[in-house]
Amino acid sequence: DSGVTQTPKHLITATGQRVTLRCSPRSGDLSVYWYQQSLDQGLQFLIQYYNGEERAKGNILERFSAQQFPDLHSELNLSSLELGDSALYFCASSLQGNTEAFFGQGTRLTVV
Amino acid sequence: GENVEQHPSTLSVQEGDSAVIKCTYSDSASNYFPWYKQELGKRPQLIIDIRSNVGEKKDQRIAVTLNKTAKHFSLHITETQPEDSAVYFCAAIYSGAGSYQLTFGKGTKLSVIP
């Protein structure tokens, strides 16, 4: 167990819908990363937060947004979902930005 | 931003042989280089990491080397075992203006043949 908790583990939804993925980082970790992993693909960096502030942005679609709350948990919001958004979404946390990142178990999103 | 290239994309070795995976990065400001192992259906897990002030690091059968001048780093696994079969990802952290972008390579699927 990495100490990073992601909910839900599985999510099935229809095209056009909106979903929210939740991540609770390890106790004490200030940095949270979000990644998208499509089937047999690598880890696509979406966004990073540090102590509540957005610090780095990757190839995140405009339909996607995220935030980190004062208690350091983070949410990734995906809207106007398309079939191609089906993927495994990972959250990772680290103490600071350039220390070991621990991954959650991921949320498997299926858009039908 | 940072760009990380990883080769090969697939690698098959006989049990007991060595495996080498190579990565290059683009931004000379990157200073932390972790390697992750991802087994099928599971989360990526750190297996070894190296910082830019170190040239080589070993942990039992696993070693990582870093060449800052050439901007490349490599993972070496010796005496491979079937349980080493997994997808391996290299990564680089670019640190700039308070941001830490952890960028991954596309992964190497390692198969160890018994």
Side-chain angles (χ1 to χ4, degrees):
Chain A
D1 183 7
S2 67
V4 180
T5 303
Q6 287 187 250
T7 56
K9 289 185 179 177
H10 302 278
L11 195 51
I12 301 175
T13 190
T15 54
Q17 295 298 304
R18 172 189 167 96
V19 297
T20 297
L21 313 183
R22 183 187 169 102
C23 171
S24 293
R26 288 190 326 150
S27 177
D29 283 358
L30 300 176
S31 186
V32 169
Y33 299 86
W34 284 99
Y35 291 88
Q36 180 191 58
Q37 187 174 42
S38 302
L39 193 63
D40 290 336
Q41 295 294 309
L43 293 156
Q44 188 78 13
F45 171 69
L46 296 178
I47 199 162
Q48 182 235 349
Y49 283 85
Y50 182 81
N51 203 19
E53 292 184 11
E54 179 187 309
R55 288 294 182 89
K57 219 168 187 177
N59 297 322
I60 186 167
L61 299 172
E62 286 191 10
R63 300 184 286 108
F64 295 1
S65 64
Q67 54 184 324
Q68 185 179 31
F69 294 86
D71 66 353
L72 301 178
H73 91 272
S74 178
E75 293 181 356
L76 179 67
N77 301 296
L78 314 176
S79 61
S80 303
L81 285 168
E82 302 174 359
L83 295 177
D85 297 328
S86 295
L88 194 53
Y89 290 84
F90 282 107
C91 163
S93 76
S94 63
L95 178 62
Q96 298 177 13
N98 58 350
T99 54
E100 178 180 355
F102 294 84
F103 280 78
Q105 287 187 312
T107 292
R108 181 166 295 283
L109 173 67
T110 303
V111 183
V112 297
Chain B
E2 178 63 273
N3 183 48
V4 178
E5 300 281 340
Q6 182 172 348
H7 299 280
S9 56
T10 60
L11 180 60
S12 291
V13 299
Q14 291 292 135
E15 182 178 356
D17 286 350
S18 295
V20 179
I21 302 171
K22 299 182 179 182
C23 291
T24 60
Y25 61 98
S26 61
D27 200 313
S28 56
S30 292
N31 55 17
Y32 175 62
F33 307 91
W35 286 86
Y36 284 80
K37 176 183 180 181
Q38 186 178 27
E39 296 176 350
L40 193 61
K42 297 189 176 180
R43 78 188 88 195
Q45 291 190 284
L46 182 80
I47 55 171
I48 196 167
D49 56 10
I50 191 167
R51 295 194 176 274
S52 57
N53 59 347
V54 176
E56 183 174 359
K57 184 176 179 180
K58 289 185 76 172
D59 183 4
Q60 298 182 349
R61 298 186 296 107
I62 294 174
V64 58
T65 58
L66 172 65
N67 183 326
K68 283 197 313 181
T69 303
K71 289 190 281 189
H72 67 69
F73 55 115
S74 300
L75 177 72
H76 303 253
I77 305 174
T78 58
E79 300 172 18
T80 53
Q81 301 168 3
E83 51 265 38
D84 293 330
S85 296
V87 179
Y88 291 81
F89 293 97
C90 62
I93 286 193
Y94 164 77
S95 305
S99 74
Y100 298 95
Q101 185 163 330
L102 176 59
T103 302
F104 285 84
K106 292 191 183 300
T108 296
K109 185 174 183 178
L110 174 64
S111 300
V112 179
I113 304 164

